[in-house]
Every structure is written in C-alpha cells, then in structure tokens.
Amino acid sequence: MRDTVMEIIERIGNERNISPEVLVEAVEAAMVSASKKMLGPGVNVSRASMDGEGGAFRVFASKVVVDEVRDETTEISLEDAQQFKPGAEIGDEIEMDVTPPDFGRIAAQSAKQVVTQRLREAEREMVYGRYKNRIGDLVSGSVQRYERGNVIVDLGISEAVLPFKEQAFGERYRVGERLKAYILDVQRSTKEPQIILSRRDPKLLVKLFEQAVPEVAEGLVTVRLVAREAGRRSKIAVSSSDSNVDPVGACVGMKGSRVQMVVPVSYTH
C-alpha cells in the first residue's frame, strides 16, 4: 500500500527533526499559491487544507453574501449562501470549496517541491546553529576540492571554505587529506551557511598549543603574544601562573615532543 501524503510528511519530519505541522503549513501555503494561478486572480482564495487521512487537497475561496450577484467569483446570493450556511445574512463571508479539476496531481508536485525546500532551509539552519557559536574553535576536516583557489573542506555534516588569502604560505593541500584550521567566521547565505576557515590567523597557533600542552589548556601557562609568518616561522611569548611550572619547558616538552606536535600544523594525525 502506498503511503499517504501525510504519512510521508510525518516520516520526513521525524527523520530530519522538523515538525510535521511546519511542513503541512508550508504545503498548504503552496497549495494556495498554486490554486490562485489555476483559478485566476479574481478568485479570493482564502486557504487550502489537506485531509490528514487520505492526503487529498481542497481549496477554499471566500465570497460575500449580497442581494444581487454582479461578480460570481467574489459574491454569492443570500439564497445560495443559506444552503451552505443556514442563518447567513447579507454582508457575511462564506467559504466555499473551489478546488480546481486535476488539482491533486499539481498539488502533489507542489508539495514535493515545498517539502524539499523546507528540508534544505532546515538543514541550513541546523548547520548555522551548530557552528555560529564556534567562531574561534579549532576544527579538522578533509580536503574535498578546489574552487577558484579556495579549498573546500568537509567537516562531516557540512562543508567549509578555506579562502586563498587564509592559506599558509607554501602549503599544498591534497584532496582526501585531513587538516586542522581555525574557524574565522560563520555567515548565513541563500545556499548554505558559509563556514570560513583560516590557516594564517595567529590564534590557530594558540589553539594548537592548547591541544598539545595540558598546562596551556588548564590555564597554568598563558600564551601572551604570537608572532607568525604563516607557513614559514612563528614565535610565542608565554608566562606561568605557577612558580613550579616552567612555561617554556612546558610548551617545548621532553626532547621537543610537544612543540613538534604543533610544528606540522598542516595536517592531523
């Protein structure tokens, strides 16, 4: 047995964590728009509704009760109105079913388009919500492709862009390899959120030391200054809040083990 439209909407909504009610409202709004094109601008389409069980779409238009009908698309006689609504009076508005012929096929097509569009919007908002508060974080991803000198990085649930101007001097990024980068900005766009990465920002170095040096992560050692020529050389000034902790030694590590974790900052291991 084929699923009804409502069952499909409910399943998609549950899978994508979107309220089915939101999808139904969007579909019904699309039905109003589609029916207006079919019925013409003179018909005062008030709403469209979907049968929750069968999934059939019906379109309703509002007509004003008058003594003498001059425009059948917007007016209805008192006698006819009382057949639909006993007790109707002159000046009342009566809602009537004006569903166009063959509307089911067009409605189903429009519903599919609307649901697809809403899913894309919801996914964009989900990605934006996930990353908008992560500006300044360190992330890792795999190189997907190049676009006009920019590197597109796959972060798992979304793609990010590493602009040419934010790439470190002399670095070459091979498709499929993983890299670490600093989230410089997160922007809304009509297609999808733009997650802007940087491999040049000095704060990238600070984040790498936080990962490599527990004393930095815990706040015992503070990175005071960073001087960096991205891809060439870098220097940091550090201090310690604990007299028993040597800030330089903590960052360098035994036989340079910790600083060596930061030096090859291009790729993850």
Side-chain angles (χ1 to χ4, degrees), residues 9 33 46 75 77-78 123 162 169 180 196 199 216 230 268:
I9 286 177
S33 178
S46 56
E75 297 174 339
S77 69
L78 178 61
E123 287 171 351
L162 177 61
F169 177 80
K180 290 181 179 179
I196 312 298
R199 297 273 304 133
V216 174
T268 61

Side-chain angles (χ1 to χ4, degrees), residues 246-257:
D246 173 18
V248 175
C251 291
V252 173
M254 185 71 69
K255 296 182 180 180
S257 59

Side-chain angles (χ1 to χ4, degrees), residues 149-191:
N150 301 329
V151 178
I152 307 302
V153 181
D154 181 9
L155 299 181
I157 65 168
S158 181
E159 291 183 342
V161 59
L162 177 61
F164 178 77
K165 66 179 181 179
E166 294 297 333
Q167 298 170 23
F169 177 80
E171 289 188 344
R172 296 293 180 267
Y173 312 102
R174 294 184 294 275
V175 173
E177 293 205 60
R178 296 187 65 80
L179 58 77
K180 290 181 179 179
Y182 178 83
I183 299 181
L184 193 64
D185 196 11
V186 180
Q187 304 169 348
R188 270 196 172 102
S189 70
T190 54
K191 292 184 178 180

Side-chain angles (χ1 to χ4, degrees), residues 24-268:
V24 170
E25 288 177 5
V27 170
E28 290 179 347
M31 298 306 98
V32 171
S33 178
S35 62
K36 284 181 178 179
K37 293 178 182 178
M38 296 182 69
L39 295 169
V43 179
N44 184 23
V45 178
S46 56
R47 67 183 178 91
S49 66
M50 182 174 64
D51 178 358
E53 295 183 1
F57 295 93
R58 310 304 300 174
V59 178
F60 299 88
S62 179
K63 293 188 177 185
V64 179
V65 180
V66 294
D67 276 325
E68 183 181 352
V69 176
R70 292 188 173 90
D71 184 353
E72 292 185 353
T73 59
T74 60
E75 297 174 339
I76 186 173
S77 69
L78 178 61
E79 181 181 353
D80 289 341
Q82 288 178 342
Q83 293 180 12
F84 292 97
K85 182 183 177 181
E89 298 178 355
I90 301 296
D92 288 350
E93 287 192 2
I94 301 294
E95 201 172 57
M96 302 185 63
D97 189 333
V98 292
T99 306
D102 196 31
F103 189 64
R105 176 181 58 82
I106 296 172
Q109 185 178 17
S110 298
K112 180 180 178 181
Q113 294 173 348
V114 169
V115 170
T116 301
Q117 180 182 350
R118 282 303 176 101
L119 287 176
R120 289 173 181 165
E121 292 173 358
E123 287 171 351
R124 284 201 299 268
E125 284 301 308
M126 180 185 70
V127 172
Y128 179 77
R130 182 181 291 249
Y131 284 97
K132 67 179 180 179
N133 296 321
R134 293 194 60 190
I135 295 174
D137 283 358
L138 194 66
V139 291
S140 64
S142 60
V143 176
Q144 288 290 94
R145 62 188 183 278
Y146 279 83
E147 289 184 358
R148 300 178 182 178
N150 301 329
V151 178
I152 307 302
V153 181
D154 181 9
L155 299 181
I157 65 168
S158 181
E159 291 183 342
V161 59
L162 177 61
F164 178 77
K165 66 179 181 179
E166 294 297 333
Q167 298 170 23
F169 177 80
E171 289 188 344
R172 296 293 180 267
Y173 312 102
R174 294 184 294 275
V175 173
E177 293 205 60
R178 296 187 65 80
L179 58 77
K180 290 181 179 179
Y182 178 83
I183 299 181
L184 193 64
D185 196 11
V186 180
Q187 304 169 348
R188 270 196 172 102
S189 70
T190 54
K191 292 184 178 180
E192 61 183 47
Q194 282 276 70
I195 303 169
I196 312 298
L197 304 179
S198 176
R199 297 273 304 133
R200 296 181 65 92
D201 196 292
K203 298 185 186 70
L204 170 66
L205 200 59
V206 177
K207 291 296 180 180
L208 288 167
F209 270 102
E210 287 180 357
Q211 282 193 346
V213 183
E215 291 85 351
V216 174
E218 294 168 6
L220 295 175
V221 173
T222 303
V223 179
R224 296 294 184 183
L225 294 171
V226 177
R228 184 174 183 226
E229 294 180 33
R232 292 175 174 169
R233 57 185 177 179
S234 302
K235 291 184 179 181
I236 63 171
V238 294
S239 65
S240 173
S241 61
D242 188 334
S243 59
N244 295 319
V245 177
D246 173 18
V248 175
C251 291
V252 173
M254 185 71 69
K255 296 182 180 180
S257 59
R258 288 178 173 177
V259 76
Q260 286 302 316
M261 294 174 64
V262 176
V263 171
V265 294
S266 298
Y267 302 102
T268 61

